[in-house]
Coordinates of all heavy atoms in Angstrom, one line a residue:
N1 N 3.8 -2.5 27.0 CA 2.5 -2.6 27.7 C 1.8 -1.2 27.5 O 2.0 -0.4 28.3 CB 2.8 -3.0 29.2 CG 3.2 -4.3 29.3 OD1 2.6 -5.1 28.5 ND2 3.8 -4.5 30.5
M2 N 1.1 -1.0 26.3 CA 0.4 0.3 26.2 C -1.0 -0.1 25.5 O -1.1 -1.1 24.8 CB 1.1 1.2 25.4 CG 1.6 0.9 24.0 SD 2.4 2.1 23.0 CE 4.1 1.9 23.6
S3 N -1.9 0.7 25.7 CA -3.2 0.6 25.1 C -3.1 0.8 23.6 O -2.1 1.4 23.1 CB -4.3 1.4 25.6 OG -3.9 2.8 25.3
L4 N -4.1 0.4 22.8 CA -4.1 0.5 21.4 C -4.1 2.0 21.0 O -3.3 2.5 20.2 CB -5.3 -0.2 20.8 CG -5.5 -0.1 19.3 CD1 -4.2 -0.6 18.6 CD2 -6.8 -0.6 18.9
S5 N -4.9 2.8 21.7 CA -4.8 4.2 21.4 C -3.6 4.9 21.7 O -3.1 5.8 21.0 CB -6.0 5.0 22.0 OG -5.9 4.8 23.4
T6 N -2.9 4.5 22.8 CA -1.5 5.0 23.1 C -0.5 4.6 22.1 O 0.3 5.4 21.7 CB -1.1 4.5 24.5 OG1 -2.2 5.0 25.5 CG2 0.3 5.1 24.9
F7 N -0.7 3.3 21.7 CA 0.3 2.9 20.6 C 0.0 3.7 19.3 O 1.1 4.1 18.7 CB 0.1 1.3 20.3 CG 0.8 1.0 19.0 CD1 2.1 0.8 19.1 CD2 0.2 0.8 17.8 CE1 2.8 0.4 18.0 CE2 0.7 0.2 16.8 CZ 2.1 0.0 16.7
K8 N -1.1 3.8 18.8 CA -1.4 4.7 17.7 C -0.8 6.1 17.8 O -0.2 6.6 16.8 CB -3.0 4.7 17.4 CG -3.5 3.5 17.0 CD -5.0 3.5 16.7 CE -5.6 2.2 16.2 NZ -7.0 2.3 16.0
R9 N -1.1 6.7 18.9 CA -0.4 8.1 19.1 C 1.1 8.1 19.1 O 1.7 8.8 18.5 CB -0.9 8.8 20.4 CG -2.2 9.3 20.5 CD -2.6 10.2 21.7 NE -2.4 9.3 23.0 CZ -3.3 8.6 23.6 NH1 -4.5 8.4 22.9 NH2 -3.1 8.0 24.6
W10 N 1.7 7.0 19.8 CA 3.1 6.9 19.8 C 3.6 6.7 18.3 O 4.6 7.3 17.9 CB 3.5 5.7 20.7 CG 5.0 5.5 20.6 CD1 5.9 6.0 21.3 CD2 5.7 4.6 19.7 NE1 7.2 5.5 21.0 CE2 7.1 4.6 20.0 CE3 5.2 3.9 18.6 CZ2 8.0 3.9 19.3 CZ3 6.2 3.0 17.9 CH2 7.6 3.1 18.3
F11 N 3.0 5.8 17.6 CA 3.2 5.6 16.2 C 3.3 6.7 15.3 O 4.3 6.9 14.6 CB 2.4 4.3 15.6 CG 2.9 3.8 14.4 CD1 3.7 2.6 14.5 CD2 2.6 4.3 13.2 CE1 4.2 1.9 13.3 CE2 3.1 3.8 11.9 CZ 3.8 2.6 12.1
K12 N 2.2 7.5 15.4 CA 2.1 8.7 14.6 C 3.1 9.6 14.9 O 3.8 10.4 14.0 CB 0.7 9.3 14.7 CG 0.4 10.3 13.8 CD -1.1 10.8 13.6 CE -1.2 11.7 12.4 NZ -2.5 11.9 12.2
K13 N 3.4 9.8 16.1 CA 4.4 10.9 16.6 C 5.9 10.4 16.1 O 6.7 11.2 15.6 CB 4.3 11.0 18.1 CG 5.5 11.9 18.7 CD 5.4 11.9 20.2 CE 6.5 12.8 20.7 NZ 6.6 12.7 22.1
N14 N 6.1 9.1 16.1 CA 7.5 8.7 15.7 C 7.8 8.3 14.2 O 8.7 8.3 13.8 CB 7.8 7.4 16.6 CG 8.1 7.9 18.1 OD1 9.1 8.4 18.5 ND2 7.1 7.6 19.0
V15 N 6.6 7.9 13.5 CA 6.8 7.4 12.3 C 6.1 8.5 11.3 O 6.6 8.7 10.2 CB 6.0 6.0 12.0 CG1 6.0 5.6 10.6 CG2 6.6 5.0 12.9
G16 N 5.2 9.2 11.8 CA 4.7 10.3 10.9 C 3.4 10.1 10.3 O 2.9 10.9 9.5
C17 N 2.8 8.9 10.5 CA 1.6 8.6 9.9 C 0.9 7.4 10.9 O 1.7 7.0 11.7 CB 1.7 8.0 8.4 SG 2.6 6.5 8.4
S18 N -0.2 7.2 10.5 CA -0.9 6.2 11.4 C -0.4 4.8 10.9 O 0.0 4.6 9.9 CB -2.4 6.1 11.2 OG -2.9 5.9 9.9
P19 N -0.7 3.8 11.9 CA -0.2 2.4 11.5 C -1.0 1.8 10.2 O -0.4 1.2 9.4 CB -0.6 1.6 12.7 CG -0.6 2.5 13.8 CD -1.0 3.9 13.3
G20 N -2.1 2.2 10.1 CA -3.1 1.9 8.9 C -2.5 2.5 7.7 O -2.3 1.7 6.7
Q21 N -2.2 3.7 7.7 CA -1.5 4.4 6.5 C -0.3 3.8 6.2 O 0.1 3.6 5.0 CB -1.5 6.0 6.9 CG -1.0 6.7 5.6 CD -2.0 6.6 4.4 OE1 -3.0 6.6 4.5 NE2 -1.3 6.5 3.3
W22 N 0.6 3.5 7.2 CA 1.9 3.0 7.0 C 1.7 1.7 6.3 O 2.5 1.4 5.4 CB 2.6 2.8 8.3 CG 3.9 2.2 8.2 CD1 5.1 2.9 7.9 CD2 4.4 0.9 8.4 NE1 6.1 2.1 7.9 CE2 5.8 0.8 8.1 CE3 3.6 -0.3 8.5 CZ2 6.5 -0.3 8.2 CZ3 4.3 -1.5 8.6 CH2 5.7 -1.5 8.5
M23 N 0.8 0.8 6.6 CA 0.6 -0.5 6.1 C 0.1 -0.4 4.7 O 0.6 -1.1 3.7 CB -0.5 -1.3 6.9 CG -0.4 -2.7 6.5 SD 1.1 -3.4 6.9 CE 0.6 -5.1 7.2
I24 N -0.8 0.6 4.3 CA -1.2 0.8 3.0 C 0.0 1.3 2.1 O 0.2 0.7 1.0 CB -2.4 1.9 2.9 CG1 -3.6 1.2 3.5 CG2 -2.6 2.3 1.5 CD1 -4.8 2.1 3.7
E25 N 0.9 2.0 2.7 CA 2.0 2.5 1.8 C 2.8 1.4 1.5 O 3.4 1.3 0.3 CB 2.8 3.7 2.6 CG 2.0 5.0 2.6 CD 2.5 6.0 3.5 OE1 3.7 5.8 3.8 OE2 1.9 7.1 3.7
K26 N 3.1 0.5 2.4 CA 4.0 -0.6 2.3 C 3.4 -1.6 1.2 O 4.2 -2.1 0.4 CB 4.2 -1.4 3.6 CG 5.0 -0.6 4.6 CD 6.5 -0.2 4.0 CE 7.2 0.6 5.0 NZ 8.3 1.3 4.5
R27 N 2.0 -1.7 1.3 CA 1.4 -2.7 0.4 C 1.4 -2.1 -1.1 O 1.7 -2.8 -2.0 CB -0.1 -2.9 0.7 CG -0.2 -3.7 1.9 CD -1.7 -3.9 2.4 NE -1.8 -4.8 3.5 CZ -2.8 -5.0 4.2 NH1 -4.0 -4.3 3.8 NH2 -2.9 -5.8 5.2
L28 N 1.4 -0.7 -1.2 CA 1.5 0.0 -2.5 C 2.8 -0.1 -3.0 O 3.0 -0.4 -4.2 CB 1.0 1.4 -2.4 CG -0.6 1.6 -2.3 CD1 -0.8 3.1 -1.7 CD2 -1.4 1.2 -3.4
Q29 N 3.8 -0.1 -2.2 CA 5.3 -0.1 -2.7 C 5.4 -1.6 -3.3 O 6.0 -1.7 -4.2 CB 6.2 0.2 -1.7 CG 6.3 1.6 -1.3 CD 6.9 2.4 -2.5 OE1 7.6 2.0 -3.2 NE2 6.3 3.7 -2.5
Q30 N 4.8 -2.5 -2.5 CA 5.0 -3.9 -2.9 C 4.3 -4.1 -4.2 O 4.9 -4.9 -5.2 CB 4.4 -4.8 -1.7 CG 4.4 -6.3 -2.2 CD 5.8 -7.1 -2.4 OE1 6.7 -6.6 -2.0 NE2 5.7 -8.2 -3.0
A31 N 3.1 -3.6 -4.5 CA 2.3 -3.7 -5.6 C 3.1 -3.1 -6.8 O 3.1 -3.8 -7.9 CB 1.0 -3.1 -5.6
K32 N 3.7 -1.9 -6.6 CA 4.4 -1.3 -7.5 C 5.7 -2.1 -8.1 O 5.9 -2.3 -9.2 CB 4.9 0.1 -7.0 CG 5.7 0.9 -8.1 CD 6.0 2.3 -7.5 CE 6.8 3.2 -8.6 NZ 7.1 4.5 -8.0
Y33 N 6.3 -2.7 -7.0 CA 7.4 -3.6 -7.5 C 6.9 -4.8 -8.3 O 7.5 -5.3 -9.3 CB 8.1 -4.2 -6.1 CG 9.1 -5.2 -6.3 CD1 10.4 -4.9 -6.8 CD2 8.8 -6.6 -6.2 CE1 11.4 -5.9 -7.2 CE2 9.8 -7.6 -6.6 CZ 10.9 -7.3 -6.9 OH 11.9 -8.3 -7.1
L34 N 5.8 -5.5 -7.9 CA 5.3 -6.6 -8.5 C 4.8 -6.2 -10.0 O 5.2 -7.0 -11.0 CB 4.1 -7.1 -7.9 CG 4.3 -7.9 -6.4 CD1 3.1 -8.1 -5.8 CD2 5.2 -9.0 -6.7
L35 N 4.4 -5.0 -10.2 CA 3.9 -4.5 -11.6 C 5.1 -4.3 -12.4 O 5.1 -4.7 -13.6 CB 3.1 -3.4 -11.4 CG 1.6 -3.6 -10.9 CD1 1.0 -2.3 -10.4 CD2 0.8 -4.3 -11.8
Q36 N 6.2 -3.6 -11.8 CA 7.3 -3.3 -12.6 C 8.3 -4.3 -12.8 O 8.7 -4.5 -14.0 CB 8.1 -2.1 -11.9 CG 7.3 -0.7 -12.0 CD 8.0 0.3 -11.3 OE1 8.8 0.0 -10.3 NE2 7.7 1.6 -11.6
H37 N 8.6 -5.2 -11.9 CA 9.7 -6.2 -12.0 C 9.2 -7.6 -12.2 O 9.9 -8.4 -12.8 CB 10.5 -6.1 -10.7 CG 11.2 -4.8 -10.5 ND1 12.2 -4.3 -11.3 CD2 10.9 -3.7 -9.7 CE1 12.5 -3.2 -10.9 NE2 11.7 -2.8 -9.9
K38 N 8.0 -7.9 -11.7 CA 7.5 -9.3 -11.9 C 6.5 -9.3 -13.0 O 6.0 -10.4 -13.4 CB 6.9 -9.9 -10.7 CG 7.8 -9.8 -9.5 CD 9.0 -10.9 -9.8 CE 10.0 -11.0 -8.5 NZ 10.9 -11.9 -8.7
R39 N 6.0 -8.2 -13.5 CA 5.1 -8.1 -14.6 C 3.9 -8.8 -14.4 O 3.3 -9.5 -15.4 CB 5.9 -8.6 -16.0 CG 7.0 -7.6 -16.2 CD 7.5 -8.0 -17.7 NE 8.7 -7.1 -17.9 CZ 9.3 -7.2 -19.0 NH1 9.1 -8.1 -19.8 NH2 10.2 -6.3 -19.3
L40 N 3.4 -8.7 -13.2 CA 2.0 -9.3 -12.9 C 0.9 -8.4 -13.4 O 1.0 -7.2 -13.6 CB 1.8 -9.6 -11.4 CG 2.9 -10.4 -10.6 CD1 2.6 -10.4 -9.2 CD2 2.9 -11.7 -11.2
S41 N -0.3 -9.0 -13.5 CA -1.4 -8.2 -13.9 C -1.9 -7.3 -12.7 O -1.4 -7.6 -11.6 CB -2.6 -9.2 -14.3 OG -3.1 -9.8 -13.0
V42 N -2.6 -6.3 -13.0 CA -3.1 -5.5 -12.0 C -3.7 -6.3 -10.8 O -3.6 -6.1 -9.6 CB -4.0 -4.4 -12.5 CG1 -4.6 -3.6 -11.3 CG2 -3.2 -3.4 -13.4
K43 N -4.7 -7.2 -11.3 CA -5.5 -8.0 -10.4 C -4.6 -8.9 -9.5 O -4.7 -8.9 -8.3 CB -6.4 -8.8 -11.1 CG -7.4 -9.6 -10.2 CD -8.4 -10.3 -11.1 CE -9.5 -11.1 -10.4 NZ -10.5 -11.7 -11.1
E44 N -3.5 -9.5 -10.1 CA -2.6 -10.3 -9.4 C -1.7 -9.5 -8.4 O -1.6 -9.9 -7.2 CB -1.6 -11.1 -10.2 CG -2.1 -12.4 -10.7 CD -1.1 -13.0 -11.5 OE1 -0.8 -12.6 -12.6 OE2 -0.5 -14.0 -11.1
A45 N -1.3 -8.4 -8.8 CA -0.5 -7.5 -7.9 C -1.3 -7.0 -6.7 O -0.9 -6.9 -5.6 CB 0.1 -6.2 -8.7
C46 N -2.6 -6.7 -7.0 CA -3.6 -6.3 -6.0 C -3.7 -7.2 -4.8 O -3.4 -7.0 -3.8 CB -5.0 -6.0 -6.7 SG -6.3 -5.8 -5.5
Y47 N -3.9 -8.5 -5.3 CA -4.2 -9.5 -4.3 C -2.9 -10.0 -3.6 O -2.8 -10.2 -2.3 CB -4.9 -10.7 -4.9 CG -6.3 -10.4 -5.4 CD1 -6.8 -10.8 -6.7 CD2 -7.1 -9.7 -4.6 CE1 -8.0 -10.5 -7.0 CE2 -8.4 -9.4 -5.0 CZ -8.8 -9.8 -6.1 OH -10.2 -9.5 -6.5
R48 N -1.8 -10.0 -4.4 CA -0.5 -10.4 -3.7 C 0.1 -9.5 -2.8 O 0.9 -9.8 -1.9 CB 0.6 -10.8 -4.8 CG 0.2 -12.0 -5.6 CD 1.3 -12.6 -6.3 NE 1.2 -13.7 -7.0 CZ 2.0 -14.3 -7.7 NH1 3.3 -13.8 -7.9 NH2 1.7 -15.3 -8.5
S49 N -0.4 -8.2 -2.9 CA 0.2 -7.2 -2.0 C -0.9 -6.9 -0.9 O -0.5 -6.1 -0.1 CB 0.5 -5.8 -2.8 OG -0.8 -5.4 -3.4
G50 N -1.9 -7.6 -0.8 CA -2.7 -7.7 0.5 C -4.0 -6.9 0.3 O -4.7 -6.7 1.3
F51 N -4.4 -6.3 -0.9 CA -5.6 -5.6 -1.0 C -6.7 -6.7 -1.5 O -6.3 -7.7 -2.1 CB -5.4 -4.6 -2.1 CG -4.6 -3.5 -1.8 CD1 -3.3 -3.4 -2.0 CD2 -5.1 -2.3 -1.1 CE1 -2.4 -2.3 -1.7 CE2 -4.4 -1.3 -0.7 CZ -3.0 -1.2 -1.0
E52 N -7.9 -6.4 -1.0 CA -9.0 -7.3 -1.4 C -9.9 -6.9 -2.4 O -10.8 -7.6 -2.9 CB -9.8 -7.7 -0.1 CG -8.8 -8.3 1.0 CD -9.7 -8.7 2.2 OE1 -10.8 -8.2 2.4 OE2 -9.1 -9.0 3.1
D53 N -9.9 -5.6 -2.7 CA -10.6 -4.9 -3.7 C -9.9 -4.0 -4.7 O -9.2 -3.3 -4.4 CB -11.7 -3.8 -2.9 CG -12.6 -3.1 -3.8 OD1 -12.3 -2.8 -4.9 OD2 -13.8 -3.1 -3.3
V54 N -10.1 -4.7 -5.8 CA -9.3 -4.1 -7.0 C -9.6 -2.6 -7.3 O -8.7 -1.9 -7.5 CB -9.6 -4.9 -8.2 CG1 -8.7 -4.3 -9.5 CG2 -9.1 -6.3 -8.1
S55 N -10.8 -2.3 -7.2 CA -11.2 -0.8 -7.4 C -10.5 0.1 -6.3 O -10.1 1.2 -6.7 CB -12.8 -0.7 -7.3 OG -13.3 -1.3 -8.3
Y56 N -10.6 -0.4 -5.1 CA -10.0 0.4 -4.0 C -8.4 0.5 -4.2 O -7.9 1.6 -4.1 CB -10.2 -0.4 -2.8 CG -9.6 0.4 -1.5 CD1 -10.0 1.7 -1.0 CD2 -8.5 -0.1 -0.9 CE1 -9.4 2.3 0.1 CE2 -7.8 0.4 0.1 CZ -8.2 1.6 0.7 OH -7.6 2.1 1.7
F57 N -7.9 -0.6 -4.6 CA -6.4 -0.7 -4.9 C -6.0 0.3 -6.0 O -5.2 1.1 -5.9 CB -6.1 -2.1 -5.3 CG -4.7 -2.2 -6.0 CD1 -3.6 -2.0 -5.2 CD2 -4.6 -2.5 -7.3 CE1 -2.2 -2.0 -5.8 CE2 -3.3 -2.6 -7.8 CZ -2.2 -2.4 -7.2
I58 N -6.8 0.3 -7.0 CA -6.5 1.3 -8.3 C -6.6 2.7 -7.9 O -5.8 3.6 -8.1 CB -7.5 1.0 -9.5 CG1 -7.2 -0.4 -10.0 CG2 -7.4 2.1 -10.5 CD1 -8.1 -0.9 -11.1
R59 N -7.8 2.9 -7.0 CA -7.8 4.4 -6.5 C -6.6 4.8 -5.6 O -6.0 5.8 -5.7 CB -9.1 4.5 -5.6 CG -10.3 4.9 -6.4 CD -11.5 5.4 -5.6 NE -11.8 4.6 -4.4 CZ -12.4 3.4 -4.3 NH1 -12.9 3.1 -5.4 NH2 -12.6 2.9 -3.1
R60 N -6.2 3.8 -4.7 CA -5.2 4.3 -3.8 C -3.7 4.3 -4.6 O -3.0 5.2 -4.2 CB -5.1 3.2 -2.7 CG -6.3 3.2 -1.7 CD -6.4 4.6 -1.1 NE -5.4 5.1 -0.3 CZ -5.2 5.2 1.1 NH1 -6.2 4.8 1.8 NH2 -4.2 5.7 1.6
Y61 N -3.6 3.5 -5.6 CA -2.4 3.5 -6.4 C -2.3 4.8 -7.1 O -1.4 5.4 -7.1 CB -2.5 2.3 -7.2 CG -1.1 2.1 -8.0 CD1 -0.2 1.0 -7.4 CD2 -0.8 2.8 -9.0 CE1 1.1 0.9 -8.1 CE2 0.6 2.6 -9.6 CZ 1.4 1.6 -9.1 OH 2.6 1.4 -9.8
K62 N -3.4 5.3 -7.6 CA -3.3 6.5 -8.4 C -3.1 7.7 -7.4 O -2.4 8.6 -7.8 CB -4.7 6.6 -9.1 CG -4.6 7.8 -10.0 CD -5.9 7.9 -11.0 CE -5.7 9.2 -11.9 NZ -6.8 9.2 -12.8
Q63 N -3.7 7.7 -6.2 CA -3.5 8.7 -5.3 C -1.9 8.8 -5.0 O -1.3 9.9 -4.8 CB -4.3 8.5 -3.9 CG -5.7 8.8 -4.1 CD -6.4 8.5 -2.8 OE1 -6.1 7.6 -2.0 NE2 -7.5 9.3 -2.6
A64 N -1.4 7.6 -4.7 CA 0.0 7.5 -4.3 C 1.0 7.8 -5.4 O 2.0 8.4 -5.1 CB 0.3 6.2 -3.7
F65 N 0.8 7.4 -6.6 CA 1.8 7.5 -7.6 C 1.4 8.5 -8.8 O 2.3 8.5 -9.7 CB 2.2 6.1 -8.1 CG 2.6 5.2 -7.0 CD1 2.0 4.1 -6.6 CD2 3.9 5.5 -6.4 CE1 2.5 3.2 -5.7 CE2 4.3 4.6 -5.3 CZ 3.5 3.5 -5.1
G66 N 0.2 8.9 -8.9 CA -0.2 9.9 -9.9 C -0.6 9.2 -11.2 O -0.9 9.8 -12.2
H67 N -0.6 7.8 -11.2 CA -1.1 7.1 -12.4 C -1.7 5.8 -12.0 O -1.5 5.4 -10.9 CB 0.0 6.9 -13.4 CG 1.2 6.2 -12.9 ND1 1.2 4.9 -12.8 CD2 2.3 6.7 -12.3 CE1 2.4 4.6 -12.2 NE2 3.0 5.7 -11.9
T68 N -2.5 5.2 -12.7 CA -3.2 4.0 -12.4 C -2.2 2.8 -12.6 O -1.1 2.9 -13.3 CB -4.3 3.7 -13.3 OG1 -3.9 3.5 -14.7 CG2 -5.3 4.6 -13.3
P69 N -2.3 1.6 -11.9 CA -1.2 0.6 -12.1 C -1.3 0.0 -13.4 O -0.2 -0.5 -13.9 CB -2.0 -0.5 -11.2 CG -3.1 0.0 -10.7 CD -3.4 1.4 -10.9
G70 N -2.3 0.2 -14.2 CA -2.3 -0.2 -15.6 C -1.5 0.6 -16.5 O -1.1 0.1 -17.5
Q71 N -0.9 1.7 -16.1 CA -0.2 2.7 -16.8 C 1.2 2.5 -16.4 O 2.1 3.3 -16.9 CB -0.7 4.1 -16.6 CG -2.0 4.4 -17.1 CD -2.5 5.9 -16.6 OE1 -2.3 6.1 -15.5 NE2 -3.2 6.4 -17.6
V72 N 1.6 1.5 -15.7 CA 3.0 1.4 -15.2 C 4.0 1.0 -16.4 O 3.6 0.1 -17.1 CB 3.2 0.3 -14.1 CG1 4.6 -0.1 -13.8 CG2 2.4 0.6 -12.9
A73 N 4.9 1.9 -16.6 CA 5.8 1.5 -17.7 C 6.9 0.4 -17.3 O 7.5 0.5 -16.2 CB 6.6 2.8 -18.0
I74 N 7.0 -0.6 -18.1 CA 7.9 -1.7 -17.9 C 9.1 -1.5 -18.7 O 9.1 -1.1 -19.8 CB 7.1 -3.1 -18.1 CG1 5.9 -3.2 -17.3 CG2 8.1 -4.3 -18.0 CD1 5.0 -4.3 -17.4

């Protein structure tokens, strides 16, 4: 029983990032797995990991991993 803003503060204090950032990180990890192990296309990995915009997905992936999803070594 806590407000949304209280939950967000609690989450950041205990997890180290905001709930939104945590969710994006989990989606990026899922996309990385799909690209490396399931050999999906960038577009398929994007959508299956919960992103709706391929351009945004590619930008965030590059920020997180230092290379674009298309450069994933299989």
